[in-house]
């Protein structure tokens, strides 16, 4: 799972003038509500939170959120939730001209402005780094942690349609001009 603060940071980096951020949560991602709320406020974004339950009408929940937000963020959840919400969220976002920041390469390919995700290469690189750092000490971190290595994909066609200029690598080390890069 991608770290919610990485998604919020990407949204603010790509859209520095954004003031409001819709956050779409499902039955599983709901546990990140406090973290996302805190990260959004730290980034200077007013969070507009929408929680979808399995029996809810996604259109009734998503439409007012997307219309009121400068950017919308979606966190990973169950496959059924993601499939149902993705179609509506991408359509509503494009219609309202609200960029979507998501958690998978597939979302960026389907119409999100950008996404943050972890590839097998990212996991391998980070795992090798952890082993290298800890092999001499004999002590290893335990427990779940968010990855520090990740990839970002942008959808240049969506950016052009929404009149959003994606910065090239000469202007920032945070974003590169290619459609996918690793941090």
């Amino acid at each position: 799972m991608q770290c919610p603060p990485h998604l919020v940071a990407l949204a603010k980096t790509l859209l520095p003038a954004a003031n409001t951020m819709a956050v779409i949560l499902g039955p599983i991602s709901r546990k990140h509500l406090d973290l996302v709320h805190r990260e959004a406020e730290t980034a200077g974004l007013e969070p507009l939170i929408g929680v979808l339950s399995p029996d809810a009408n996604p259109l009734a929940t998503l439409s007012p959120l997307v219309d009121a937000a400068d950017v919308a963020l979606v966190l990973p959840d169950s496959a059924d939730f993601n499939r149902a919400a993705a179609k509506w969220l991408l359509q509503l976002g494009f219609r309202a001209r609200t960029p979507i920041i998501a958690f998978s390469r597939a979302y960026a390919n389907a119409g999100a402005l950008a996404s943050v995700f972890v590839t097998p290469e990212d996991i391998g690189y980070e795992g090798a780094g952890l082993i290298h750092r800890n092999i001499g000490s004999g002590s290893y971190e335990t427990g779940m942690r968010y990855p520090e290595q990740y990839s970002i994909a942008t959808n240049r066609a969506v950016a052009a349609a929404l009149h959003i200029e994606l910065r090239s690598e000469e202007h920032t080390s945070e974003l590169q001009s290619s459609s996918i890069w690793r941090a």
Side-chain angles (χ1 to χ4, degrees):
M1 156 126 167
Q2 194 41 250
C3 178
H6 291 163
L7 293 163
V8 173
L10 178 61
K12 194 59 178 179
T13 300
L14 291 174
L15 304 156
N19 294 312
T20 56
M21 181 174 72
V23 181
I24 314 308
L25 302 173
I28 296 172
S29 60
R30 182 178 317 187
K31 67 184 176 189
H32 298 294
L33 174 63
D34 292 337
L35 175 62
V36 172
H37 197 277
R38 189 172 49 253
E39 289 296 322
E41 287 181 335
T42 299
L45 294 163
E46 176 189 348
L48 309 171
I49 309 293
V51 179
L52 289 175
S53 61
D55 58 337
N57 176 351
L59 196 55
T61 302
L62 295 174
S63 188
L65 279 174
V66 171
D67 286 343
D70 297 324
V71 61
L73 183 115
V74 61
L75 298 174
D77 212 288
S78 69
D80 290 339
F81 168 81
N82 286 333
R83 238 184 323 279
K87 177 178 102 176
W88 290 111
L89 184 59
L90 291 170
Q91 278 186 344
L92 290 168
F94 199 72
R95 188 176 302 145
R97 306 190 60 72
T98 302
I100 308 297
I101 305 295
F103 59 86
S104 74
R105 175 80 175 156
Y107 249 108
N109 290 342
L113 173 64
S115 61
V116 178
F117 56 97
V118 178
T119 67
E121 292 84 5
D122 296 328
I123 294 168
Y125 185 79
E126 186 164 345
L130 286 171
I131 290 170
H132 180 72
R133 282 193 305 272
N134 296 316
I135 201 147
S137 70
S139 68
Y140 298 91
E141 296 178 32
T142 60
M144 201 272 310
R145 52 181 243 141
Y146 289 114
E148 293 174 14
Q149 300 294 318
Y150 54 90
S151 297
I152 295 176
T154 58
N155 187 319
R156 295 217 172 263
V158 169
L162 297 177
H163 306 290
I164 296 170
E165 185 178 338
L166 297 177
R167 295 182 253 173
S168 66
E169 61 187 281
E170 302 94 52
H171 296 95
T172 179
S173 61
E174 296 174 36
L175 298 175
Q176 294 184 6
S177 59
S178 62
S179 62
I180 181 171
W181 59 276
R182 289 181 175 72

PDB file of all heavy atoms in Angstrom, residues 72-102:
ATOM      1  N   ALA A  72      -8.740  15.742  -6.225  1.00  0.00           N
ATOM      2  CA  ALA A  72      -9.347  14.609  -5.515  1.00  0.00           C
ATOM      3  C   ALA A  72      -8.313  13.513  -5.354  1.00  0.00           C
ATOM      4  O   ALA A  72      -7.535  13.236  -6.266  1.00  0.00           O
ATOM      5  CB  ALA A  72     -10.566  14.090  -6.264  1.00  0.00           C
ATOM      6  N   LEU A  73      -8.317  12.907  -4.199  1.00  0.00           N
ATOM      7  CA  LEU A  73      -7.359  11.865  -3.856  1.00  0.00           C
ATOM      8  C   LEU A  73      -8.123  10.590  -3.545  1.00  0.00           C
ATOM      9  O   LEU A  73      -9.125  10.622  -2.832  1.00  0.00           O
ATOM     10  CB  LEU A  73      -6.565  12.303  -2.625  1.00  0.00           C
ATOM     11  CG  LEU A  73      -5.472  11.372  -2.180  1.00  0.00           C
ATOM     12  CD1 LEU A  73      -4.136  12.070  -2.343  1.00  0.00           C
ATOM     13  CD2 LEU A  73      -5.689  11.025  -0.732  1.00  0.00           C
ATOM     14  N   VAL A  74      -7.655   9.485  -4.084  1.00  0.00           N
ATOM     15  CA  VAL A  74      -8.291   8.200  -3.794  1.00  0.00           C
ATOM     16  C   VAL A  74      -7.235   7.247  -3.256  1.00  0.00           C
ATOM     17  O   VAL A  74      -6.129   7.161  -3.784  1.00  0.00           O
ATOM     18  CB  VAL A  74      -9.020   7.627  -5.035  1.00  0.00           C
ATOM     19  CG1 VAL A  74      -8.083   7.380  -6.180  1.00  0.00           C
ATOM     20  CG2 VAL A  74      -9.793   6.374  -4.690  1.00  0.00           C
ATOM     21  N   LEU A  75      -7.575   6.575  -2.155  1.00  0.00           N
ATOM     22  CA  LEU A  75      -6.678   5.611  -1.515  1.00  0.00           C
ATOM     23  C   LEU A  75      -7.085   4.207  -1.901  1.00  0.00           C
ATOM     24  O   LEU A  75      -8.254   3.949  -2.192  1.00  0.00           O
ATOM     25  CB  LEU A  75      -6.750   5.759   0.010  1.00  0.00           C
ATOM     26  CG  LEU A  75      -6.317   7.097   0.577  1.00  0.00           C
ATOM     27  CD1 LEU A  75      -6.579   7.139   2.076  1.00  0.00           C
ATOM     28  CD2 LEU A  75      -4.862   7.359   0.299  1.00  0.00           C
ATOM     29  N   PRO A  76      -6.154   3.255  -1.851  1.00  0.00           N
ATOM     30  CA  PRO A  76      -6.511   1.882  -2.178  1.00  0.00           C
ATOM     31  C   PRO A  76      -7.481   1.310  -1.152  1.00  0.00           C
ATOM     32  O   PRO A  76      -7.430   1.641   0.028  1.00  0.00           O
ATOM     33  CB  PRO A  76      -5.175   1.140  -2.150  1.00  0.00           C
ATOM     34  CG  PRO A  76      -4.227   2.018  -1.454  1.00  0.00           C
ATOM     35  CD  PRO A  76      -4.739   3.403  -1.532  1.00  0.00           C
ATOM     36  N   ASP A  77      -8.352   0.459  -1.638  1.00  0.00           N
ATOM     37  CA  ASP A  77      -9.337  -0.206  -0.802  1.00  0.00           C
ATOM     38  C   ASP A  77      -9.576  -1.588  -1.380  1.00  0.00           C
ATOM     39  O   ASP A  77      -8.771  -2.067  -2.173  1.00  0.00           O
ATOM     40  CB  ASP A  77     -10.627   0.637  -0.761  1.00  0.00           C
ATOM     41  CG  ASP A  77     -11.352   0.508   0.561  1.00  0.00           C
ATOM     42  OD1 ASP A  77     -11.928  -0.567   0.804  1.00  0.00           O
ATOM     43  OD2 ASP A  77     -11.323   1.464   1.341  1.00  0.00           O
ATOM     44  N   SER A  78     -10.696  -2.201  -1.062  1.00  0.00           N
ATOM     45  CA  SER A  78     -10.990  -3.524  -1.609  1.00  0.00           C
ATOM     46  C   SER A  78     -11.174  -3.418  -3.121  1.00  0.00           C
ATOM     47  O   SER A  78     -11.530  -2.369  -3.654  1.00  0.00           O
ATOM     48  CB  SER A  78     -12.245  -4.098  -0.963  1.00  0.00           C
ATOM     49  OG  SER A  78     -13.380  -3.358  -1.375  1.00  0.00           O
ATOM     50  N   ALA A  79     -10.935  -4.520  -3.812  1.00  0.00           N
ATOM     51  CA  ALA A  79     -11.034  -4.526  -5.274  1.00  0.00           C
ATOM     52  C   ALA A  79     -12.432  -4.141  -5.732  1.00  0.00           C
ATOM     53  O   ALA A  79     -12.590  -3.392  -6.696  1.00  0.00           O
ATOM     54  CB  ALA A  79     -10.646  -5.895  -5.818  1.00  0.00           C
ATOM     55  N   ASP A  80     -13.469  -4.633  -5.062  1.00  0.00           N
ATOM     56  CA  ASP A  80     -14.838  -4.304  -5.451  1.00  0.00           C
ATOM     57  C   ASP A  80     -15.102  -2.817  -5.310  1.00  0.00           C
ATOM     58  O   ASP A  80     -15.690  -2.180  -6.173  1.00  0.00           O
ATOM     59  CB  ASP A  80     -15.849  -5.082  -4.602  1.00  0.00           C
ATOM     60  CG  ASP A  80     -15.857  -6.560  -4.934  1.00  0.00           C
ATOM     61  OD1 ASP A  80     -15.409  -6.919  -6.042  1.00  0.00           O
ATOM     62  OD2 ASP A  80     -16.308  -7.348  -4.089  1.00  0.00           O
ATOM     63  N   PHE A  81     -14.649  -2.233  -4.213  1.00  0.00           N
ATOM     64  CA  PHE A  81     -14.836  -0.803  -3.988  1.00  0.00           C
ATOM     65  C   PHE A  81     -14.097  -0.013  -5.060  1.00  0.00           C
ATOM     66  O   PHE A  81     -14.639   0.913  -5.653  1.00  0.00           O
ATOM     67  CB  PHE A  81     -14.327  -0.401  -2.603  1.00  0.00           C
ATOM     68  CG  PHE A  81     -14.219   1.086  -2.430  1.00  0.00           C
ATOM     69  CD1 PHE A  81     -15.338   1.837  -2.119  1.00  0.00           C
ATOM     70  CD2 PHE A  81     -13.015   1.742  -2.609  1.00  0.00           C
ATOM     71  CE1 PHE A  81     -15.255   3.215  -1.978  1.00  0.00           C
ATOM     72  CE2 PHE A  81     -12.918   3.116  -2.468  1.00  0.00           C
ATOM     73  CZ  PHE A  81     -14.044   3.852  -2.155  1.00  0.00           C
ATOM     74  N   ASN A  82     -12.836  -0.351  -5.296  1.00  0.00           N
ATOM     75  CA  ASN A  82     -12.025   0.399  -6.258  1.00  0.00           C
ATOM     76  C   ASN A  82     -12.619   0.347  -7.660  1.00  0.00           C
ATOM     77  O   ASN A  82     -12.625   1.342  -8.364  1.00  0.00           O
ATOM     78  CB  ASN A  82     -10.588  -0.123  -6.268  1.00  0.00           C
ATOM     79  CG  ASN A  82      -9.830   0.321  -5.035  1.00  0.00           C
ATOM     80  OD1 ASN A  82     -10.130   1.346  -4.448  1.00  0.00           O
ATOM     81  ND2 ASN A  82      -8.875  -0.475  -4.639  1.00  0.00           N
ATOM     82  N   ARG A  83     -13.103  -0.808  -8.079  1.00  0.00           N
ATOM     83  CA  ARG A  83     -13.690  -0.934  -9.409  1.00  0.00           C
ATOM     84  C   ARG A  83     -14.931  -0.051  -9.546  1.00  0.00           C
ATOM     85  O   ARG A  83     -15.112   0.639 -10.530  1.00  0.00           O
ATOM     86  CB  ARG A  83     -14.052  -2.392  -9.681  1.00  0.00           C
ATOM     87  CG  ARG A  83     -13.397  -2.962 -10.891  1.00  0.00           C
ATOM     88  CD  ARG A  83     -13.821  -4.370 -11.236  1.00  0.00           C
ATOM     89  NE  ARG A  83     -14.068  -5.299 -10.161  1.00  0.00           N
ATOM     90  CZ  ARG A  83     -13.134  -5.976  -9.498  1.00  0.00           C
ATOM     91  NH1 ARG A  83     -11.882  -5.812  -9.781  1.00  0.00           N
ATOM     92  NH2 ARG A  83     -13.456  -6.814  -8.547  1.00  0.00           N
ATOM     93  N   ALA A  84     -15.783  -0.068  -8.537  1.00  0.00           N
ATOM     94  CA  ALA A  84     -17.029   0.704  -8.604  1.00  0.00           C
ATOM     95  C   ALA A  84     -16.756   2.202  -8.540  1.00  0.00           C
ATOM     96  O   ALA A  84     -17.336   2.990  -9.285  1.00  0.00           O
ATOM     97  CB  ALA A  84     -17.958   0.280  -7.463  1.00  0.00           C
ATOM     98  N   ALA A  85     -15.874   2.602  -7.654  1.00  0.00           N
ATOM     99  CA  ALA A  85     -15.615   4.034  -7.461  1.00  0.00           C
ATOM    100  C   ALA A  85     -14.783   4.635  -8.588  1.00  0.00           C
ATOM    101  O   ALA A  85     -14.981   5.798  -8.952  1.00  0.00           O
ATOM    102  CB  ALA A  85     -14.916   4.255  -6.128  1.00  0.00           C
ATOM    103  N   ALA A  86     -13.857   3.871  -9.152  1.00  0.00           N
ATOM    104  CA  ALA A  86     -12.927   4.404 -10.150  1.00  0.00           C
ATOM    105  C   ALA A  86     -13.651   4.959 -11.372  1.00  0.00           C
ATOM    106  O   ALA A  86     -13.353   6.065 -11.827  1.00  0.00           O
ATOM    107  CB  ALA A  86     -11.931   3.324 -10.573  1.00  0.00           C
ATOM    108  N   LYS A  87     -14.584   4.207 -11.887  1.00  0.00           N
ATOM    109  CA  LYS A  87     -15.304   4.641 -13.089  1.00  0.00           C
ATOM    110  C   LYS A  87     -15.997   5.979 -12.841  1.00  0.00           C
ATOM    111  O   LYS A  87     -15.858   6.919 -13.619  1.00  0.00           O
ATOM    112  CB  LYS A  87     -16.322   3.571 -13.492  1.00  0.00           C
ATOM    113  CG  LYS A  87     -17.170   3.945 -14.682  1.00  0.00           C
ATOM    114  CD  LYS A  87     -18.110   2.828 -15.038  1.00  0.00           C
ATOM    115  CE  LYS A  87     -19.470   3.187 -14.514  1.00  0.00           C
ATOM    116  NZ  LYS A  87     -20.516   2.240 -14.853  1.00  0.00           N
ATOM    117  N   TRP A  88     -16.727   6.068 -11.753  1.00  0.00           N
ATOM    118  CA  TRP A  88     -17.454   7.300 -11.453  1.00  0.00           C
ATOM    119  C   TRP A  88     -16.513   8.445 -11.140  1.00  0.00           C
ATOM    120  O   TRP A  88     -16.707   9.569 -11.599  1.00  0.00           O
ATOM    121  CB  TRP A  88     -18.413   7.078 -10.275  1.00  0.00           C
ATOM    122  CG  TRP A  88     -19.551   6.203 -10.647  1.00  0.00           C
ATOM    123  CD1 TRP A  88     -19.780   4.934 -10.208  1.00  0.00           C
ATOM    124  CD2 TRP A  88     -20.609   6.510 -11.551  1.00  0.00           C
ATOM    125  NE1 TRP A  88     -20.924   4.431 -10.786  1.00  0.00           N
ATOM    126  CE2 TRP A  88     -21.455   5.388 -11.617  1.00  0.00           C
ATOM    127  CE3 TRP A  88     -20.928   7.623 -12.313  1.00  0.00           C
ATOM    128  CZ2 TRP A  88     -22.600   5.360 -12.404  1.00  0.00           C
ATOM    129  CZ3 TRP A  88     -22.067   7.586 -13.102  1.00  0.00           C
ATOM    130  CH2 TRP A  88     -22.883   6.468 -13.141  1.00  0.00           C
ATOM    131  N   LEU A  89     -15.503   8.167 -10.348  1.00  0.00           N
ATOM    132  CA  LEU A  89     -14.578   9.223  -9.927  1.00  0.00           C
ATOM    133  C   LEU A  89     -13.846   9.832 -11.120  1.00  0.00           C
ATOM    134  O   LEU A  89     -13.736  11.056 -11.232  1.00  0.00           O
ATOM    135  CB  LEU A  89     -13.577   8.667  -8.919  1.00  0.00           C
ATOM    136  CG  LEU A  89     -12.601   9.656  -8.321  1.00  0.00           C
ATOM    137  CD1 LEU A  89     -13.338  10.769  -7.599  1.00  0.00           C
ATOM    138  CD2 LEU A  89     -11.661   8.953  -7.378  1.00  0.00           C
ATOM    139  N   LEU A  90     -13.361   8.999 -12.024  1.00  0.00           N
ATOM    140  CA  LEU A  90     -12.646   9.514 -13.188  1.00  0.00           C
ATOM    141  C   LEU A  90     -13.570  10.325 -14.099  1.00  0.00           C
ATOM    142  O   LEU A  90     -13.183  11.385 -14.600  1.00  0.00           O
ATOM    143  CB  LEU A  90     -11.971   8.381 -13.949  1.00  0.00           C
ATOM    144  CG  LEU A  90     -10.801   7.728 -13.207  1.00  0.00           C
ATOM    145  CD1 LEU A  90     -10.350   6.461 -13.904  1.00  0.00           C
ATOM    146  CD2 LEU A  90      -9.645   8.693 -13.036  1.00  0.00           C
ATOM    147  N   GLN A  91     -14.771   9.848 -14.311  1.00  0.00           N
ATOM    148  CA  GLN A  91     -15.728  10.601 -15.142  1.00  0.00           C
ATOM    149  C   GLN A  91     -16.104  11.931 -14.504  1.00  0.00           C
ATOM    150  O   GLN A  91     -16.097  12.974 -15.164  1.00  0.00           O
ATOM    151  CB  GLN A  91     -16.998   9.774 -15.369  1.00  0.00           C
ATOM    152  CG  GLN A  91     -16.882   8.774 -16.466  1.00  0.00           C
ATOM    153  CD  GLN A  91     -18.217   8.096 -16.733  1.00  0.00           C
ATOM    154  OE1 GLN A  91     -19.141   8.151 -15.926  1.00  0.00           O
ATOM    155  NE2 GLN A  91     -18.310   7.446 -17.877  1.00  0.00           N
ATOM    156  N   LEU A  92     -16.440  11.891 -13.223  1.00  0.00           N
ATOM    157  CA  LEU A  92     -16.824  13.123 -12.536  1.00  0.00           C
ATOM    158  C   LEU A  92     -15.664  14.108 -12.466  1.00  0.00           C
ATOM    159  O   LEU A  92     -15.864  15.315 -12.638  1.00  0.00           O
ATOM    160  CB  LEU A  92     -17.322  12.807 -11.123  1.00  0.00           C
ATOM    161  CG  LEU A  92     -18.662  12.088 -11.037  1.00  0.00           C
ATOM    162  CD1 LEU A  92     -18.889  11.566  -9.620  1.00  0.00           C
ATOM    163  CD2 LEU A  92     -19.795  13.000 -11.476  1.00  0.00           C
ATOM    164  N   GLY A  93     -14.470  13.605 -12.208  1.00  0.00           N
ATOM    165  CA  GLY A  93     -13.298  14.467 -12.139  1.00  0.00           C
ATOM    166  C   GLY A  93     -13.034  15.172 -13.455  1.00  0.00           C
ATOM    167  O   GLY A  93     -12.771  16.373 -13.489  1.00  0.00           O
ATOM    168  N   PHE A  94     -13.116  14.426 -14.539  1.00  0.00           N
ATOM    169  CA  PHE A  94     -12.861  15.035 -15.841  1.00  0.00           C
ATOM    170  C   PHE A  94     -13.947  16.058 -16.186  1.00  0.00           C
ATOM    171  O   PHE A  94     -13.653  17.141 -16.667  1.00  0.00           O
ATOM    172  CB  PHE A  94     -12.749  13.956 -16.924  1.00  0.00           C
ATOM    173  CG  PHE A  94     -12.055  14.444 -18.148  1.00  0.00           C
ATOM    174  CD1 PHE A  94     -10.690  14.676 -18.149  1.00  0.00           C
ATOM    175  CD2 PHE A  94     -12.760  14.698 -19.309  1.00  0.00           C
ATOM    176  CE1 PHE A  94     -10.037  15.147 -19.276  1.00  0.00           C
ATOM    177  CE2 PHE A  94     -12.119  15.161 -20.445  1.00  0.00           C
ATOM    178  CZ  PHE A  94     -10.756  15.386 -20.429  1.00  0.00           C
ATOM    179  N   ARG A  95     -15.193  15.712 -15.888  1.00  0.00           N
ATOM    180  CA  ARG A  95     -16.308  16.623 -16.178  1.00  0.00           C
ATOM    181  C   ARG A  95     -16.191  17.913 -15.361  1.00  0.00           C
ATOM    182  O   ARG A  95     -16.436  19.005 -15.869  1.00  0.00           O
ATOM    183  CB  ARG A  95     -17.641  15.938 -15.874  1.00  0.00           C
ATOM    184  CG  ARG A  95     -18.832  16.744 -16.316  1.00  0.00           C
ATOM    185  CD  ARG A  95     -20.134  16.019 -16.112  1.00  0.00           C
ATOM    186  NE  ARG A  95     -20.119  14.755 -16.826  1.00  0.00           N
ATOM    187  CZ  ARG A  95     -20.699  13.642 -16.386  1.00  0.00           C
ATOM    188  NH1 ARG A  95     -21.338  13.631 -15.245  1.00  0.00           N
ATOM    189  NH2 ARG A  95     -20.644  12.535 -17.090  1.00  0.00           N
ATOM    190  N   ALA A  96     -15.794  17.791 -14.084  1.00  0.00           N
ATOM    191  CA  ALA A  96     -15.667  18.967 -13.209  1.00  0.00           C
ATOM    192  C   ALA A  96     -14.308  19.647 -13.356  1.00  0.00           C
ATOM    193  O   ALA A  96     -14.053  20.657 -12.722  1.00  0.00           O
ATOM    194  CB  ALA A  96     -15.877  18.560 -11.753  1.00  0.00           C
ATOM    195  N   ARG A  97     -13.434  19.043 -14.160  1.00  0.00           N
ATOM    196  CA  ARG A  97     -12.073  19.547 -14.362  1.00  0.00           C
ATOM    197  C   ARG A  97     -11.279  19.520 -13.049  1.00  0.00           C
ATOM    198  O   ARG A  97     -10.480  20.406 -12.766  1.00  0.00           O
ATOM    199  CB  ARG A  97     -12.082  20.933 -14.998  1.00  0.00           C
ATOM    200  CG  ARG A  97     -12.906  20.970 -16.301  1.00  0.00           C
ATOM    201  CD  ARG A  97     -12.774  22.206 -17.111  1.00  0.00           C
ATOM    202  NE  ARG A  97     -11.439  22.518 -17.574  1.00  0.00           N
ATOM    203  CZ  ARG A  97     -10.755  21.877 -18.538  1.00  0.00           C
ATOM    204  NH1 ARG A  97     -11.303  20.842 -19.113  1.00  0.00           N
ATOM    205  NH2 ARG A  97      -9.548  22.272 -18.890  1.00  0.00           N
ATOM    206  N   THR A  98     -11.545  18.486 -12.249  1.00  0.00           N
ATOM    207  CA  THR A  98     -10.858  18.266 -10.980  1.00  0.00           C
ATOM    208  C   THR A  98      -9.873  17.123 -11.166  1.00  0.00           C
ATOM    209  O   THR A  98     -10.286  15.987 -11.408  1.00  0.00           O
ATOM    210  CB  THR A  98     -11.864  17.909  -9.865  1.00  0.00           C
ATOM    211  OG1 THR A  98     -12.814  18.967  -9.741  1.00  0.00           O
ATOM    212  CG2 THR A  98     -11.166  17.693  -8.540  1.00  0.00           C
ATOM    213  N   PRO A  99      -8.582  17.387 -11.080  1.00  0.00           N
ATOM    214  CA  PRO A  99      -7.592  16.320 -11.265  1.00  0.00           C
ATOM    215  C   PRO A  99      -7.692  15.265 -10.158  1.00  0.00           C
ATOM    216  O   PRO A  99      -7.972  15.580  -9.008  1.00  0.00           O
ATOM    217  CB  PRO A  99      -6.253  17.043 -11.179  1.00  0.00           C
ATOM    218  CG  PRO A  99      -6.564  18.488 -11.177  1.00  0.00           C
ATOM    219  CD  PRO A  99      -7.988  18.671 -10.825  1.00  0.00           C
ATOM    220  N   ILE A 100      -7.442  14.028 -10.540  1.00  0.00           N
ATOM    221  CA  ILE A 100      -7.473  12.896  -9.619  1.00  0.00           C
ATOM    222  C   ILE A 100      -6.038  12.436  -9.367  1.00  0.00           C
ATOM    223  O   ILE A 100      -5.262  12.255 -10.310  1.00  0.00           O
ATOM    224  CB  ILE A 100      -8.287  11.711 -10.198  1.00  0.00           C
ATOM    225  CG1 ILE A 100      -9.681  12.164 -10.650  1.00  0.00           C
ATOM    226  CG2 ILE A 100      -8.342  10.548  -9.203  1.00  0.00           C
ATOM    227  CD1 ILE A 100     -10.577  12.696  -9.583  1.00  0.00           C
ATOM    228  N   ILE A 101      -5.690  12.232  -8.108  1.00  0.00           N
ATOM    229  CA  ILE A 101      -4.408  11.660  -7.712  1.00  0.00           C
ATOM    230  C   ILE A 101      -4.736  10.308  -7.084  1.00  0.00           C
ATOM    231  O   ILE A 101      -5.572  10.231  -6.178  1.00  0.00           O
ATOM    232  CB  ILE A 101      -3.666  12.550  -6.681  1.00  0.00           C
ATOM    233  CG1 ILE A 101      -3.500  13.981  -7.200  1.00  0.00           C
ATOM    234  CG2 ILE A 101      -2.335  11.918  -6.290  1.00  0.00           C
ATOM    235  CD1 ILE A 101      -2.612  14.135  -8.414  1.00  0.00           C
ATOM    236  N   ALA A 102      -4.091   9.257  -7.560  1.00  0.00           N
ATOM    237  CA  ALA A 102      -4.466   7.905  -7.134  1.00  0.00           C
ATOM    238  C   ALA A 102      -3.242   7.078  -6.743  1.00  0.00           C
ATOM    239  O   ALA A 102      -2.136   7.600  -6.649  1.00  0.00           O
ATOM    240  CB  ALA A 102      -5.264   7.221  -8.235  1.00  0.00           C
TER     241      ALA A 102
END
